[in-house]
Amino acid sequence: GESVGLHLPTLSVQEGDNSIINCAYSNSASDYFIWYKQESGKGPQFIIDIRSNMDKRQGQRVTVLLNKTVKHLSLQIAATQPGDSAVYFCAENMSGYSTLTFGKGTMLLVSP
Amino acid sequence: NAGVTQTPKFQVLKTGQSMTLQCAQDMNHNSMYWYRQDPGMGLRLIYYSASEGTTDKGEVPNGYNVSRLNKREFSLRLESAAPSQTSVYFCASTRSYEQYFGPGTRLTVT
């Protein structure tokens, strides 16, 4: 069957490079954001989250930046490894709602 | 701790057949969700259950029904499968906002 990654924007990097994946979110009232990683044939996996009262949050090798003025979210992956190859989704939540709205995703391809 | 489990992993149906996709979580989460994922698209919400005893429609509910059997289990039923329902189906659960996903069910309707 077709891969979920077909027809998605693709970012190709070399192993060891830093990667930046971008996401434009839709609702200015959203106050919580998550990045997910989805490897081929698997379910999405949580990477990092950020609340709207922050503009930056760091994890292990990952940093999320939030620009509420232009409704933009980015995921930075330091020293990208072949195991980082996957589809990355952003998701947003509005306070008081129990659902997430997902972006369409970006495929990251890391060459050794 | 298995997290979120889904059965079956793969299924092929003929148009008009019915089936139920099963989902269970062992994290004591209140909310559970069913999504479908099609090539080039993000995850689209079919139905969700914010708590035991409640269910609500998501973005694409037509052709589906759900049952929140108890706090652990949330099933998705296709009464009369159509080729447009060929997709990968994911179940998820959460206590607050971060959702935990199952491994998915790949469904093909011929």
Side-chain angles (χ1 to χ4, degrees), chain A residues 1-4 6-8 32 34 36 38 41-44 46 51 89 93 95-100 102-104, chain B residues 31 33 35 37-45 48-50 88 90 94 96-104 106:
Chain A
E2 283 190 88
S3 163
V4 68
L6 285 180
H7 315 302
L8 290 177
Y32 177 71
I34 306 178
Y36 282 92
Q38 187 176 23
K42 296 184 178 180
F46 172 87
R51 294 205 170 274
F89 294 97
N93 170 265
S95 180
Y97 288 79
S98 55
T99 59
L100 293 173
F102 287 83
K104 288 187 171 42
Chain B
S31 302
Y33 305 81
Y35 294 91
Q37 186 176 46
D38 302 294
M41 311 213 33
L43 292 152
R44 292 187 293 169
L45 183 64
Y48 67 102
S49 171
V88 181
F90 289 101
T94 185
S96 57
Y97 299 110
E98 176 193 336
Q99 293 183 14
Y100 294 82
F101 285 82
R106 186 174 291 274

Side-chain angles (χ1 to χ4, degrees), chain B residues 1-3 26-27:
Chain B
N1 205 350
D26 61 2
M27 296 174 282

